[in-house]
C-alpha cells in the first residue's frame, strides 16, 4: 500500500466512523510524512497535563513513531529526558536557528496576574521564566501557534469564575501584546489524539506543498470562527447524536443507566457542542461521552462556566 501525503491528510480529516488517525498508521502512511519534519516546542501552563496524556494514548502509531518520524519534538516538559538549563538552553538555541519556521504547541492557560508569576517554567541566570514571558517570546518567532486543549484555546477550567491568577487564553494573550502569529485552536478537555495529530499533519502538508506563508494561509481557511479546524469541529453533537430520534419523541432518560433514551434532561450539552466525537469515538474507538454519561461541551469557548452545572436531575 502506497500513500501520498495528500492521501494521508484526507485520512487524517476523514469522517469514517471508528476510523481515526491513531488507527490508520502503517509504514506506508508514515513514509508520506518524511519529506518535511518541522521542529516543535511544546510548553505547558495552567492545566492538568491531560492533553499530553491524551496524545500519549495514541494507539497506532505509538507515540514514539509520531515524535520521531512525524515531527522533531525539541521540548516537552513531561516526556523529555533532559531538564533544567540544558533543556531550556536547547529550546532557545534551536528556536533562534529555526526562527519563523518552528511550530509552537501550547497546553494550558496563561496566568497574567502578578506579572505571570503564578506559573514559572524555569530559571535562567537566576531569573524566573514565567509562562507569560515564555509564551510571548516563543510565539512571536513561531510559524504557527497550536493551542491544544480548552485551557490554552479559551482559558478553560483555570479561567473559570473565582480564579485569582487571571488565567487567560493564549489567543487573548497574543492579541493583547500585538503578536500576530497565526493561531490554531484544538480544544477539548482533553482533545482527541486524532485532532492533535491530524491538525499538525494538515499544517505540515500545507506548508510543504505551498510554502510557508501560503501553506499557513491554507490552514487558516479550514478554521471556524473560534479558530478550530472544521474537519474535526464542524459538526454539531446533538444533530448527529444516536439519541436524536428519542429527543424528537420527548423520550428522556432519568438515570445514566438508561441506554435507550435521550440524555438532554440529565444535563447533556450536545446542542451547544461542535466536534466529531459521535463518530470518531474515544479509547481506540470503543466509546464516547454520551454513550456512558453526557456531553459537557468541553470543546466550546464557554466551558466550563457556561456549561455548568454539568449534570442535572432527570
Amino acid at each position: 500500500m502506497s500513500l501520498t501525503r495528500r492521501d494521508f491528510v484526507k485520512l487524517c480529516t476523514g469522517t469514517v466512523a471508528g476510523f481515526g488517525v491513531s488507527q490508520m498508521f502503517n509504514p506506508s502512511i508514515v513514509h508520506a510524512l518524511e519529506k518535511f519534519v518541522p521542529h516543535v516546542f511544546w510548553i505547558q501552563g495552567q492545566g492538568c497535563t491531560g492533553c499530553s496524556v491524551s496524545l500519549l494514548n495514541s494507539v497506532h502509531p505509538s507515540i514514539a513513531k509520531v515524535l520521531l518520524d512525524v515531527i522533531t519534538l525539541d521540548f516537552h516538559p513531561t516526556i523529555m529526558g533532559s531538564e533544567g538549563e540544558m533543556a531550556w538552553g536547547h529550546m532557545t538555541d534551536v528556536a533562534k536557528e529555526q526562527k519563523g519556521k518552528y511550530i509552537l504547541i501550547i497546553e494550558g492557560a496563561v496566568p497574567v496576574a502578578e506579572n505571570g508569576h503564578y506559573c514559572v517554567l524555569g530559571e535562567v541566570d537566576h531569573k524566573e521564566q514565567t509562562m507569560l514571558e515564555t509564551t510571548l517570546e516563543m510565539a512571536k518567532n513561531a510559524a504557527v501557534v497550536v493551542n491544544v486543549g480548552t485551557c490554552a484555546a479559551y482559558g478553560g477550567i483555570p479561567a473559570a469564575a473565582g480564579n485569582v491568577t487571571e488565567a487567560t487564553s493564549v489567543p487573548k494573550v497574543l492579541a493583547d501584546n500585538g503578536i500576530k502569529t497565526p493561531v490554531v485552536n484544538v480544544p477539548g478537555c482533553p482533545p482527541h489524539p486524532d485532532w492533535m495529530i491530524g491538525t499538525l499533519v494538515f499544517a505540515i502538508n500545507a506548508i510543504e506543498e505551498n510554502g510557508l506563508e501560503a501553506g499557513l494561509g491554507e490552514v487558516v481557511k479550514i478554521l471556524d470562527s473560534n479558530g478550530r479546524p472544521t474537519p474535526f469541529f464542524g459538526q454539531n453533537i446533538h444533530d448527529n447524536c444516536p439519541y436524536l430520534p428519542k429527543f424528537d419523541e420527548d423520550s428522556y432518560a432519568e438515570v445514566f443507566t438508561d441506554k435507550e433514551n435521550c440524555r438532554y434532561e440529565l444535563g447533556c450539552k450536545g446542542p451547544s457542542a461542535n466536534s466529531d466525537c459521535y463518530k470518531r469515538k474515544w479509547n481506540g474507538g470503543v466509546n464516547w461521552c454520551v454513550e456512558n454519561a453526557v456531553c459537557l461541551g468541553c470543546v466550546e469557548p464557554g466551558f466550563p462556566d457556561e456549561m455548568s452545572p454539568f449534570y442535572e436531575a432527570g
Side-chain angles (χ1 to χ4, degrees):
M1 178 179 178
S2 178
L3 284 176
T4 66
R5 290 171 60 88
R6 184 174 297 278
D7 291 333
F8 178 72
V9 171
K10 289 179 180 179
L11 287 175
C12 283
T13 56
T15 56
V16 179
F19 196 55
V21 174
S22 57
Q23 297 154 293
M24 289 187 282
F25 277 75
N26 60 38
S28 63
I29 297 178
V30 172
H31 180 71
L33 294 168
E34 292 178 349
K35 293 184 179 180
F36 173 58
V37 182
H39 289 268
V40 175
F41 305 98
W42 185 306
I43 60 175
Q44 298 170 324
Q46 288 177 294
C48 66
T49 318
C51 305
S52 292
V53 172
S54 181
L55 182 64
L56 292 173
N57 282 335
S58 178
V59 180
H60 297 294
S62 67
I63 189 60
K65 179 63 69 174
V66 174
L67 300 182
L68 297 176
D69 292 346
V70 179
I71 61 174
T72 298
L73 187 63
D74 289 285
F75 188 90
H76 190 303
T78 305
I79 64 176
M80 64 187 179
S82 180
E83 61 182 39
E85 290 188 11
M86 179 181 294
W88 197 268
H90 175 75
M91 178 178 73
T92 55
D93 288 346
V94 176
K96 290 177 183 177
E97 295 173 2
Q98 299 294 321
K99 182 178 180 180
K101 296 183 290 184
Y102 61 81
I103 296 174
L104 176 64
I105 299 178
I106 300 180
E107 175 181 3
V110 183
V112 299
E114 302 296 336
N115 294 319
H117 283 275
Y118 277 107
C119 185
V120 175
L121 305 189
E123 183 179 292
V124 176
D125 296 328
H126 305 291
K127 180 182 182 297
E128 291 182 336
Q129 304 296 306
T130 67
M131 178 63 180
L132 175 60
E133 181 181 8
T134 305
T135 296
L136 297 176
E137 186 64 28
M138 294 294 292
K140 71 180 182 182
N141 293 320
V144 61
V145 175
V146 179
N147 299 314
V148 296
T150 301
C151 298
Y154 308 128
I157 291 175
N163 90 88
V164 298
T165 66
E166 296 180 27
T168 307
S169 70
V170 173
K172 187 176 189 307
V173 167
L174 299 186
D176 288 348
N177 288 274
I179 294 176
K180 299 181 179 180
T181 303
V183 172
V184 178
N185 292 326
V186 186
C189 194
H192 195 291
D194 292 358
W195 301 344
M196 292 182 276
I197 296 172
T199 298
L200 281 174
V201 170
F202 184 92
I204 292 169
N205 184 75
I207 291 171
E208 181 179 286
E209 290 193 349
N210 301 284
L212 183 59
E213 186 173 350
L216 292 175
E218 292 299 311
V219 174
V220 171
K221 288 179 182 179
I222 69 167
L223 305 182
D224 67 10
S225 60
N226 291 311
R228 304 174 295 193
T230 52
F232 302 120
F233 301 96
Q235 295 174 297
N236 181 262
I237 292 287
H238 177 72
D239 291 344
N240 294 280
C241 181
Y243 293 112
L244 182 60
K246 294 297 183 179
F247 176 87
D248 293 337
E249 297 172 3
D250 292 328
S251 297
Y252 300 108
E254 295 184 359
V255 292
F256 289 125
T257 52
D258 182 345
K259 299 293 186 180
E260 302 298 326
N261 295 305
C262 175
R263 295 159 181 266
Y264 179 72
E265 292 194 349
L266 291 175
C268 187
K269 305 304 188 297
S272 303
N274 297 281
S275 73
D276 64 3
C277 298
Y278 69 94
K279 60 186 171 185
R280 191 171 298 279
K281 298 191 176 183
W282 291 72
N283 306 314
V286 173
N287 54 23
W288 66 300
C289 303
V290 175
E291 194 166 329
N292 299 301
V294 296
C295 173
L296 303 181
C298 72
V299 298
E300 297 301 320
F303 179 82
D305 290 349
E306 293 179 13
M307 302 300 171
S308 299
F310 292 157
Y311 305 114
E312 300 177 19

